[in-house]
Amino acid sequence: MTTKTSVRISTRTPKGPQTLEQQRFQFLIRQIGDARKAFSDLEKRIEAFRQLRVQKLQPVRASLTRALRETIFAIDRLLDQRGWSRAEQAALRDILTGTAEIVIEVAGEDPEIKAVYNKHSNLDFDTAKDEDIQRLKAEAEAFTGLDLGADEGIRSEEDLVQRLYEEMAARETAARPSKRSEDNAQLAKKALRDIYRKLASAVHPDRESDAARREEKNELMQRINQAYAANDLLSLFEIQIEIDQLDPEQIGNLGTQRLRHYNRLLSEQLEQLRSKLQALEASAGADDETVDDHFDPQKLELRLRRQARGLRAEVTRQEQLLRVLADKAATRRWLKQQRQFAKLDDDEVED
């Protein structure tokens, strides 16, 4: 079995002009290749961004998380003391619960912080989070007119965004008119199945006595099974070429009917790849640089440095607040200042 490290499918036709199906076949192969490359490039950009973000921001974020946790525990100790007015108690509880939400959102599950949150909130943390997600889900359904289905599997805003994207993609697909009859669809699937069976028959590992070759065929069979399960016709072609089961120079010269079936499968594969690419772009969130074709690592590093400076400034502010919270009288004065600032803001809005 000959293995090639690089596979290129040729669609040249030495016998005159290409037919429409041959032209479409060539176009789809090229588009799938471009989509694959775009997906791979974006994955690499996202990973590079994440590694750089961890390197630049993780230490200062850890410092900020520690300061925020200390703030929560300091307010908890203050609320255990007598002598607070109802307004002061309410203000401290709001600060405590809001800070706890930030810590859990940024740092992940934290049983100690949840316990303090639950102690000072009318709703336990998990119930409050579920209600927030349900409210956002209802708003998304009202805005888009989509039914986002059961609540199961939607545990975060990221889950909700992913479900929303999936339902929007499904609606778009359902609204698209069918281009071929069900009979043609079945014939296209049969063409895919025929290629799969031919490959499976040629490389089935159980028929190999040599241990090294059997392991090689095991890996190849896994690739074949994965490609078949994903309706990935192009990968099956590439494997056929790897094992010399298919001549890349002749693949575009197949009969019109067979090419029509292949083109249907390739068109579906291209649509799936584009959907995956869109989902990956959506998962990148607000990190616009990761999905920018002109991704500039130096520009990104400067941006992360600015973020790190902002986080360090926030750590300093949080440490100043901790010094205030260490003294009840100072905390009272600070709360009074906050109420005065809030009143000034309200007056400006009214003006």
Side-chain angles (χ1 to χ4, degrees), residues 59-125:
V60 67
R61 279 181 172 169
S63 297
L64 180 56
T65 298
R66 284 193 296 271
L68 291 171
R69 292 181 91 254
E70 290 173 12
T71 298
I72 293 166
F73 294 131
I75 296 175
D76 178 43
R77 290 191 294 269
L78 285 170
L79 285 169
D80 285 340
Q81 300 177 24
R82 292 179 176 274
W84 298 105
S85 69
R86 290 183 179 178
E88 289 170 336
Q89 287 179 330
L92 288 171
R93 287 193 180 104
D94 284 345
I95 297 169
L96 184 151
T97 54
T99 305
E101 289 173 355
I102 292 172
V103 168
I104 294 173
E105 180 179 350
V106 172
E109 191 72 14
D110 191 324
E112 284 186 301
I113 297 301
K114 270 191 179 182
V116 178
Y117 178 100
N118 294 342
K119 176 181 174 181
H120 297 287
S121 175
N122 293 328
L123 286 177
D124 68 87
F125 181 87

Side-chain angles (χ1 to χ4, degrees), residues 100-310:
E101 289 173 355
I102 292 172
V103 168
I104 294 173
E105 180 179 350
V106 172
E109 191 72 14
D110 191 324
E112 284 186 301
I113 297 301
K114 270 191 179 182
V116 178
Y117 178 100
N118 294 342
K119 176 181 174 181
H120 297 287
S121 175
N122 293 328
L123 286 177
D124 68 87
F125 181 87
D126 291 332
T127 301
K129 186 67 175 176
D130 286 343
E131 288 189 357
D132 284 343
I133 294 298
Q134 293 311 307
R135 176 180 54 79
L136 291 172
K137 178 172 176 280
E139 290 175 357
E141 288 178 327
F143 181 75
T144 63
L146 290 169
D147 180 0
L148 298 181
D151 299 337
E152 185 179 356
I154 303 179
R155 303 295 298 171
S156 67
E157 292 182 19
E158 290 76 15
D159 294 338
L160 179 60
V161 170
Q162 182 63 29
R163 178 73 65 83
L164 181 62
Y165 172 77
E166 290 171 354
E167 292 301 325
M168 290 176 68
R171 181 170 67 177
E172 182 181 346
T173 300
R176 194 176 295 124
S178 175
K179 295 181 180 179
R180 293 179 176 83
S181 67
E182 183 61 26
D183 288 344
N184 280 341
Q186 292 301 320
L187 288 171
K189 294 293 183 184
K190 181 180 181 301
L192 185 75
R193 188 166 58 249
D194 289 344
I195 294 174
Y196 170 76
R197 288 175 175 171
K198 188 175 180 181
L199 280 167
S201 177
V203 304
H204 203 292
D206 292 346
R207 300 172 184 170
E208 182 60 61
S209 57
D210 181 81
R213 297 269 290 174
R214 186 163 56 250
E215 179 62 25
E216 180 185 345
K217 287 188 174 183
N218 265 321
E219 294 177 2
L220 194 53
M221 195 67 207
Q222 288 178 7
R223 287 174 54 199
I224 293 168
N225 287 333
Q226 290 170 358
Y228 180 61
N231 291 330
D232 186 348
L233 178 62
L234 183 53
S235 289
L236 292 178
F237 281 154
E238 290 169 340
I239 295 170
Q240 282 189 303
I241 293 170
E242 284 184 32
I243 66 172
D244 295 327
Q245 196 179 73
L246 181 67
D247 182 355
E249 298 296 330
Q250 297 300 319
I251 191 170
N253 298 324
L254 298 170
T256 299
Q257 190 65 23
R258 181 175 293 187
L259 277 178
R260 184 174 294 120
H261 298 327
Y262 287 166
N263 286 343
R264 179 188 179 93
L265 293 167
L266 290 171
S267 180
E268 292 172 356
Q269 183 180 346
L270 177 59
E271 184 175 327
Q272 290 170 1
L273 275 170
R274 286 172 172 168
S275 295
K276 283 178 61 180
L277 181 59
Q278 290 174 348
L280 186 61
E281 290 171 346
S283 73
D287 301 324
D288 294 335
E289 287 87 346
T290 65
V291 297
D292 187 352
D293 288 339
H294 305 291
F295 177 73
D296 185 343
Q298 291 183 337
K299 179 182 176 183
L300 178 56
E301 184 166 358
L302 289 174
R303 172 176 173 261
L304 291 175
R305 285 178 179 173
R306 288 195 297 271
Q307 289 184 355
R309 285 197 297 271

